[in-house]
Amino acid sequence: MNARAMLVHHTRYRYDRPVHLGPQTIRLHPLPGCATMIAHGLEISPAPSTQAWCHDPFGNRVARVTFDGRVTHFDITVALTTDQTPTTPRPLAVAPTARIWTARSVDDSPSLIAYRQSALTDATTPRLDALVADWRARLPCPTADLLMDLTRAIAAGITYRIRTEAGVWSPEETLRHGAGSCRDTAWLLIAILRRLGFAARFVSGYLFQPERCAPEQLGCELHAWAQVHVPGAGWVGLDTTSGLRAAQGHVPLAAAPRPQQAAPVSGLLDQCEATFEATMQTTVLPAPAACGPLRSSLSS
C-alpha cells in the first residue's frame, strides 16, 4: 500500500531585543539521492537579504541565509512530502573481500579519511577502551552480523533518555551514565565502529513512525543515528535507539564526521536572551492517483 505523508516543521527563535544575525546555515533538506523525498519547500521569516542553496564539504544540501538589519525573531518553515510506503530491508550486499571483518580490516579509501578519525575529547576512556576490546575479541566474524549485534547491544544496554539541553555527550560520558539521547548513543556507536576499522558518520534527520497513543496516525520528530560505510553496500544507517537498520521512516537531512557539523541550524548572533520552539505536524495524503503529481519547490 502506498503511503505519502506531508510534514510541516516550524522552528521559531525569539530574541529579547533586536539583534544582528550572522550568516545562518540551514540543514533541513533531505540528503541528495534520498529515495523517499517527493517535494520540499522552505520559508524564512523575516525575509533574508540573501538566500542560496549549495552543498557543504560533506555533500549535504544546505541553505545559507544572511540578514542586513536587526531582527527580533528567526522563523524557519519546512514543508516536506515523503513516500512512507513500508519496505522490506534487503540483506547487505557486502563485497566478498569484506564479508568477514578482522582486527586488521580497514577501508582506506582517501574519501573516507575524515570518517575514520577519532574525535574523542576525554583524557582517558577506560569504559570505551574495555567495550572496544570486548568487541575486537570477537573478530574475525561476519561483517553484517557484527554491525547489527553491536547496534542491538547499545540499544539494549544504554537507556534512552530525552535530553533538551544542547550538545552531545562523549562516548565515555554516555557509558558512565548508562543512558543517553539518540545523538549520544549514535556518537558512541560511531566511536566504536571507527576503532574497529570502519568509516562511520553522524546523521541528523526526521523519523516518521506511528504515534504511540494512536498507531493509526503518523508522527515525526527530529532524530539522530549513525551510518557506517560497508564495502560493496555503501553507507548503511544504524539506529541505536531501536537497535535496527534505518528504514523508510528515516529521512536523513545532514551527515558529517562530527555531530556539530550536522546540526539542523547553525550560525552566529549577538549576545542576547533567546527562546526556541519547534512544532511538527504530519498529514497522511491521499493515494497518488487521487492527489495528482507532486513537484519539488524552491530547493530543486
Side-chain angles (χ1 to χ4, degrees):
M1 180 181 70
N2 292 330
R4 295 187 176 193
M6 172 177 276
L7 167 70
V8 178
H9 175 201
H10 294 289
T11 303
R12 303 181 179 94
Y13 298 90
R14 295 292 182 269
Y15 310 117
D16 64 338
R17 60 182 181 82
V19 298
H20 283 295
L21 276 181
Q24 302 292 307
T25 300
I26 302 171
R27 304 177 183 89
L28 291 173
H29 187 290
L31 289 183
C34 178
T36 59
M37 189 188 90
I38 298 172
H40 178 276
L42 175 70
E43 294 184 1
I44 299 171
S45 177
S49 303
T50 65
Q51 177 178 329
W53 287 97
C54 61
H55 291 90
D56 71 8
F58 312 113
N60 302 307
R61 186 156 176 76
V62 303
R64 301 193 190 277
V65 299
T66 63
F67 300 88
D68 288 341
R70 295 176 183 266
V71 302
T72 58
H73 68 282
F74 180 29
D75 291 1
I76 304 167
T77 301
V78 171
L80 174 66
T81 304
T82 71
D83 183 357
Q84 290 299 306
T85 303
T87 59
T88 301
R90 298 178 179 178
L92 291 182
V94 184
T97 55
R99 287 175 184 167
I100 301 299
W101 203 256
T102 73
R104 296 176 300 280
S105 295
V106 172
D107 189 339
D108 57 1
S109 171
S111 64
L112 299 177
I113 291 176
Y115 303 103
R116 291 190 286 105
Q117 294 176 342
S118 174
L120 301 181
T121 57
D122 300 280
T124 59
T125 56
R127 293 174 177 83
L128 179 62
D129 295 344
L131 185 57
V132 171
D134 287 343
W135 285 95
R136 189 174 284 128
R138 305 184 184 203
L139 305 181
C141 68
T143 301
D145 292 345
L146 170 65
L147 295 174
M148 293 313 307
D149 289 348
L150 177 55
T151 303
R152 284 191 288 262
I154 293 177
I158 304 294
T159 302
Y160 174 68
R161 176 187 296 179
I162 297 175
R163 291 202 305 112
T164 57
E165 65 270 24
V168 177
W169 282 345
S170 70
E172 194 69 13
E173 286 179 288
T174 300
L175 291 171
R176 184 171 67 251
H177 290 288
S181 67
C182 56
R183 60 190 187 274
D184 301 322
T185 56
W187 192 226
L188 169 62
L189 174 59
I190 289 167
I192 298 172
L193 289 171
R194 289 180 181 179
R195 288 204 182 187
L196 294 177
F198 292 94
R201 62 186 185 180
F202 185 93
V203 182
S204 65
Y206 294 123
L207 176 61
F208 290 83
Q209 58 185 349
E211 296 281 11
R212 292 183 180 87
C213 299
E216 72 282 0
Q217 298 179 13
L218 192 66
C220 184
E221 60 187 10
L222 283 172
H223 193 50
W225 60 95
Q227 285 184 346
V228 60
H229 192 271
V230 180
W235 290 107
V236 176
L238 302 173
D239 191 331
T240 49
T241 301
S242 65
L244 302 173
R245 281 170 55 188
Q248 79 278 350
H250 294 74
V251 178
L253 299 174
R258 297 170 180 261
Q260 60 269 31
Q261 296 166 323
V265 182
S266 62
L268 300 176
L269 76 159
D270 290 343
Q271 185 173 0
C272 65
E273 292 293 330
T275 59
F276 167 81
E277 178 186 1
T279 61
M280 296 190 186
Q281 182 178 3
T282 307
T283 304
V284 177
L285 301 177
C291 67
L294 290 166
R295 293 192 299 260
S296 179
S297 63
L298 287 179
S299 57
S300 58

